[in-house]
Amino acid sequence: MAKSTIHLLLRRGLPLALCAAVLLPVVPDAASATAAKPLAPTVVTQPSGGQRVLRIGSLWSNSEDTYLRQNLTDLYEFTHPDVKLEFVPAVDQEQFRFTNTYMVEGPEVLRHMRDIMLGSDPVDVIIGDSSLIENLADQNLLEPLQPLIDRDGYDISNMAPTMLNGVRELGRGHLFALAPTFNASVVFYNKGIFDAAGVSYPTDGMTWDEFFTLAGMVTKTSKQLDERIYGFTRSRYVGDPFGDMQAYLSPLQVAMYDNQGGAMTVNNALWSKGWTTFSNLIQKKIIPGPDDIEAAAAAAAVAEPAEAEFNPFLGDWFLTGKAAMVIGEYGYINELASADRNALLIKNINFRHVDWGIAAVPTFAEKPGVAVGAGLDQMLAISSTAQNEEDAWELIKFVNSNEVAKIKAANPYQLTSRMDFNRSQKAGVSLEPFYNVKPVPVTDANVNSLAYKIPNIYQINLAGQMLFSEVIQGKRTVANALKAWEQQGNHMLNAMRKDPAVLFNLDNGWLERSAKGK
C-alpha cells in the first residue's frame, strides 16, 4: 500500500495506531515456523509497487508494533519509500490477553526466536536487548558489523564507549549490533554540602570503598530530623535498602539461587560483603534506613498545612538537601535545571538552590568500570540468515545516524549514542561520566525464566528482606542471617519443586526459630 494511503487514512480520522494495523502485512505465525539450517541469501521478495521487503524480528510484539515503529523505524519508512517493513514477533503478546497462560521466557522464547530466523522466510533485522543479542551472538546467528562499517566508511567515532564497548562485551569482542540510545547513571553531588564540610568532590574512577568513605565524611547526624544530611542515597526517592543492596552487588553477578531453582547460593563471601557494607552504612546514618524513611514520612504527615500545601520536591532526598550524593539518570539533569528555572515560583517550602556536579558511578575493584545503572536496550543487528542484508545494514546505519540522533536528543530524558547531541543544561558540567562505563553483565536467562515457571519464588526475596531488617536492628549477625536465609530458602525451593504455585506464610514463626538455631 502506497505511503499516500497513510495520509488518506489520517484525513479520514483514523488514529495512527489503527492506520499502522491496517497497513501491516500479514506475517506467518512464528510458533508454527520449523527450524532449518541457515539459508543462503536469495532474491529479495518484491511486493507490488516495486518495494523491497525488509523483515524485522523481535522477541515481543503484537499486530500493531506501534512502539517499535515510533521509536525506531517511522523516519526510515518516510525517507525510504522503496522499502516495505514487516515486523515479525517471535512471540505475539496479543495472544496472552485471551488465555490464562503466562508469557514464555528464557530458553522457550529463544527457541521461538530461532524459528523466525531459521525458518522458510527468515527475518533480516533483529531488534533486542542485551540478553538476546548475547545469546544469538553465542550461537553465530548474527552478522558482524565491523566489516560493513569499514567497507562503507561509516563513522562511529562520536558514539559513546558505554554503548560500543557494551555491545562488544556481548559479542566476545565483536560488534554484532548498534544502539541509537543507551542507559547510564552518574553520581550527582551537592557542592554546597561538600564545601561546608571541607571535603573534596567525588571524582570519576572511584571504587565503592572510596566512595563510601567520602560519603561518611559529609554525613551529618542529628536527633533533629530536619538537620540530618545523609552522605548518599542510591535513589533520589524513598527506596528499599534491601533492594538497593542487591543493585549495588549486581556487577558481581550474585544470585539468590542457582539457575535451575534447585538450591540457594547466598551463604558466601560476596553476599556477606553486601550485607555487611549496607547494614553498617545504615547504622552509621550514612544512608537512610527503614527507620529514617518512616520518620521522614511521619514528619511530612504532621507538617503545618501551609507548609504541606504543595511541595514539588516532596520525597526527593537530593533537591531537599537531605542527601549529599545520589545516583541518578540522565533525565535528572533536566529536573535540576527545571528547579533552577522556576525557583522564584516555589513558595512555602524554603527552597534552597542546589549547586550540583556529576561524577561517574563507583565500581568494584574486581569489576573495574562496570557501573550500576548502565545498560543497553533496543539494539539492532543483522541476522546471519538475512535475505536482504544490504537494506538491513542501511536501516541500522540510518537509525544510528547523526541526523536521527539530533532529533532524538530533543528528548531531555534520553541519552543518544551519538555524544555530540546530548545536552548538559549547565555550563561547565561535562557529560563524560555517562560515556565511559560498562553495562552490568546480563542475568542468566534461566534465572529470569524461574519467575514465570515458579510464580511465587519472589517470596524467597521477602524472607531475605526480613532477615536483613533484623541485621540492621542488631538482632542477629550477618553470618547468622545468611545461614538462616539459605536454610529457609532451600525449604521453600523444595516445596516449590513439588508445587510451583505454593504460597508461604512468612509469619509462621520461622524467623524466631532461625534466630535460635532451630
Side-chain angles (χ1 to χ4, degrees), residues 254-277:
V254 299
M256 278 185 277
Y257 32 74
D258 62 45
N259 64 6
Q260 301 300 313
M264 294 290 288
T265 58
V266 297
N267 196 6
N268 56 50
L270 288 181
W271 276 105
S272 179
K273 176 185 179 72
W275 283 53
T276 301
T277 298

Side-chain angles (χ1 to χ4, degrees), residues 161-443:
T162 297
M163 186 278 287
L164 290 174
N165 293 336
V167 175
R168 289 191 178 103
E169 188 74 21
L170 299 174
R172 309 294 188 262
H174 297 285
L175 197 67
F176 285 108
L178 288 175
T181 60
F182 68 99
N183 302 315
S185 295
V186 294
V187 172
F188 290 84
Y189 58 90
N190 186 320
K191 291 183 178 180
I193 292 176
F194 276 84
D195 292 343
V199 177
S200 299
Y201 302 147
T203 59
D204 296 349
M206 297 185 77
T207 65
W208 278 111
D209 290 342
E210 293 169 338
F211 178 78
F212 289 142
T213 298
L214 190 68
M217 295 170 68
V218 291
T219 296
K220 181 181 178 181
T221 58
S222 173
K223 292 182 179 180
Q224 301 299 318
L225 186 65
D226 58 354
E227 295 180 3
R228 293 179 191 171
I229 297 176
Y230 300 98
F232 162 68
T233 60
R234 199 188 72 83
S235 170
R236 56 178 166 139
Y237 293 119
V238 170
D240 165 30
F242 188 61
D244 291 346
M245 181 266 296
Q246 292 181 71
Y248 155 75
L249 287 175
S250 61
L252 301 178
Q253 295 179 277
V254 299
M256 278 185 277
Y257 32 74
D258 62 45
N259 64 6
Q260 301 300 313
M264 294 290 288
T265 58
V266 297
N267 196 6
N268 56 50
L270 288 181
W271 276 105
S272 179
K273 176 185 179 72
W275 283 53
T276 301
T277 298
F278 261 67
S279 59
N280 286 340
L281 290 171
I282 291 171
Q283 290 165 351
K284 294 177 181 179
K285 302 298 182 183
I286 295 174
I287 64 176
D291 290 346
D292 304 293
I293 293 169
E294 290 179 11
V302 298
E304 292 295 325
E307 296 176 339
E309 182 178 350
F310 178 69
N311 184 349
F313 310 126
L314 187 64
D316 188 317
W317 295 97
F318 189 73
L319 267 174
T320 54
K322 299 301 181 185
M325 295 182 286
V326 63
I327 291 180
E329 68 289 344
Y330 172 64
Y332 195 39
I333 290 177
N334 190 60
E335 297 291 315
L336 295 172
S338 177
D340 282 345
R341 288 193 301 268
N342 296 283
L344 295 178
L345 301 177
I346 301 169
K347 309 294 183 182
N348 301 325
I349 63 169
N350 193 28
F351 172 68
R352 295 180 181 179
H353 165 75
V354 176
D355 186 11
W356 55 272
I358 62 174
V361 172
T363 61
F364 288 101
E366 307 95 306
K367 293 282 186 178
V370 179
V372 174
L376 302 173
D377 197 9
Q378 290 193 346
M379 288 172 280
L380 287 87
I382 301 175
S383 170
S384 62
T385 62
Q387 300 179 87
N388 189 359
E389 182 177 321
E390 286 303 318
D391 281 326
W393 173 229
E394 286 300 320
L395 171 66
I396 292 175
K397 286 198 298 183
F398 180 86
V399 171
N400 290 277
S401 67
N402 286 310
E403 292 77 12
V404 171
K406 185 176 181 179
I407 295 171
K408 285 185 173 292
N411 181 348
Y413 296 91
Q414 178 176 258
L415 274 169
T416 69
S417 294
R418 298 282 183 178
M419 299 177 289
D420 298 346
F421 304 101
N422 298 315
R423 298 172 296 172
S424 74
Q425 300 193 50
K426 183 177 180 181
V429 173
S430 167
L431 299 181
E432 198 67 22
F434 287 103
Y435 300 145
N436 291 295
V437 292
K438 300 176 184 176
V440 173
V442 174
T443 303

